Each structure stands twice: as structure tokens, then as C-alpha cells.
Amino acid sequence: MSKIKSKRIGFRIDMTPMVDVAFLLLTFFMLTTKFRPPEPVKVDIPSSHSEQKVPESGILTVTISGDNAYFMGVSSQPDRVALFERVIGPKLKASGADPAAVEDSLQHFKLAESFPVDRGEIERFVMTARVSNQKIRPVVKADMSADFEAVDHVLKVFKESNILTFNLVTALEKEGG
């Protein structure tokens, strides 16, 4: 009898290209991820039962800290540039700031999520933001220990600016617990 040898035929798949693609995608996502910058002030927001989400874009945020300091933020860069050019830029130029310093301040301001505002300037910033973007949605984010008068001042500014609807930022209260 003759012996017949059988040879197993199989396909070997080389996984090296697949691993290369996986690491390339991982590196791409790691390098392009935009991390949220730290907030300029820590705010302990009150809780509520409302599940309505604050919009992601097109918002004007007025933050009131526990020591009644005011901060403002505008979600879109074009609105930030408009605020700078109409309110902050003229102040810097009037104070004799170098044009290069004004431009540097603009570049820094474009990247800032929020900035401190004096109580008396809130109305000017709110009006300027409203003029630059009619569809901007105001949001109030107040610390639980902020005085009622501080929050009421912002609400009165909204009313004087003919902003009759706005969102209050709260934490969702957990039931049963």
C-alpha cells in the first residue's frame, strides 16, 4: 500500500495591518480630542427634578459664584469676538494699550470659556451678546450659597434686555436615595 500524504491547506491572516490601523485611529482620537477647560470658579448648583437639558451651543451663560462674583461665557467664538470688539477692545484702546497687546488679548479671549464681569457691566455684555446673536439662549448658573439679590439682579438685567425666557442650571435630583 502506498501512503498518501495529505497536506492541510489553510489561510494565515496577518493581523499586523489591522493592529497598525487600530493604533493609528487611537492616536488620531487622542490627539484631536478637545478636553473641557477648567471652569474659572467652582459652583455648587442646586438640585431639581427637571430633566430638561441645557443646549450645547448658542448659549450665553451668566455664572454667580458663592461669594456673589459674576462670570459670563458665550458658547460660540464669533459671539465672543463680537463681545470683545464692542466692549473690551474699546476699553483697552482707550487705556492706551498697544495694538499688539489688544490683538493678543483678543486671541486669549476667543479661547476663554468664561470671564469675570463686574455687576454694573452685566447689562452691557448681555445686550451686546443679544445684538450680535438674536437667537442666543441665556442660561443662569448660580451657586447654592449665592445671595438671592445677586441672582435677582441677573434676572432683572434679562428682563430689561427683553429676554423673557432663560434656563436655570441645576443638578438632577436622584429619587429614592
Side-chain angles (χ1 to χ4, degrees):
M1 271 206 177
S2 73
K3 252 186 167 176
I4 301 176
K5 289 186 176 180
S6 67
K7 190 175 184 183
R8 187 173 183 177
I9 299 176
F11 295 101
R12 183 171 178 252
I13 300 174
D14 192 10
M15 294 298 287
T16 304
M18 192 81 81
V19 171
D20 287 346
V21 168
F23 277 112
L24 190 69
L25 286 172
L26 178 67
T27 304
F28 171 77
F29 288 122
M30 285 174 52
L31 294 176
T32 57
T33 299
K34 180 183 175 189
F35 293 102
R36 179 177 233 174
E39 294 189 28
V41 64
K42 176 80 173 133
V43 177
D44 185 22
I45 55 177
S47 61
S48 74
H49 296 285
S50 174
E51 294 184 20
Q52 182 180 357
K53 302 267 186 207
V54 174
E56 293 286 325
S57 62
I59 61 171
L60 163 72
T61 306
V62 179
T63 303
I64 306 162
S65 67
D67 60 350
N68 299 322
Y70 297 95
F71 296 84
M72 287 193 65
V74 182
S75 63
S76 74
Q77 235 181 38
D79 293 337
R80 278 186 236 150
V81 170
L83 273 176
F84 185 88
E85 289 175 348
R86 293 182 180 147
V87 180
I88 299 170
K91 282 185 180 180
L92 291 174
K93 291 174 186 170
S95 69
D98 181 1
V102 173
E103 182 62 30
D104 185 51
S105 296
L106 172 61
Q107 296 307 318
H108 178 71
F109 191 76
K110 278 201 263 186
L111 300 175
E113 289 290 320
S114 64
F115 52 93
V117 179
D118 290 333
R119 180 182 172 107
E121 292 183 319
I122 294 174
E123 185 173 5
R124 186 171 180 195
F125 278 103
V126 168
M127 289 294 288
T128 304
R130 188 70 166 180
V131 167
S132 66
N133 182 356
Q134 292 291 318
K135 295 182 180 181
I136 202 162
R137 297 181 215 170
V139 172
V140 178
K141 183 178 180 181
D143 192 286
M144 285 189 345
S145 60
D147 292 341
F148 173 75
E149 289 81 21
V151 177
D152 188 50
H153 175 70
V154 173
L155 301 182
K156 285 179 181 175
V157 166
F158 285 167
K159 186 177 179 183
E160 290 168 7
S161 303
N162 202 25
I163 299 173
L164 304 177
T165 58
F166 55 88
N167 291 52
L168 291 173
V169 177
T170 59
L172 184 62
E173 192 172 274
K174 306 245 188 293
E175 290 189 27

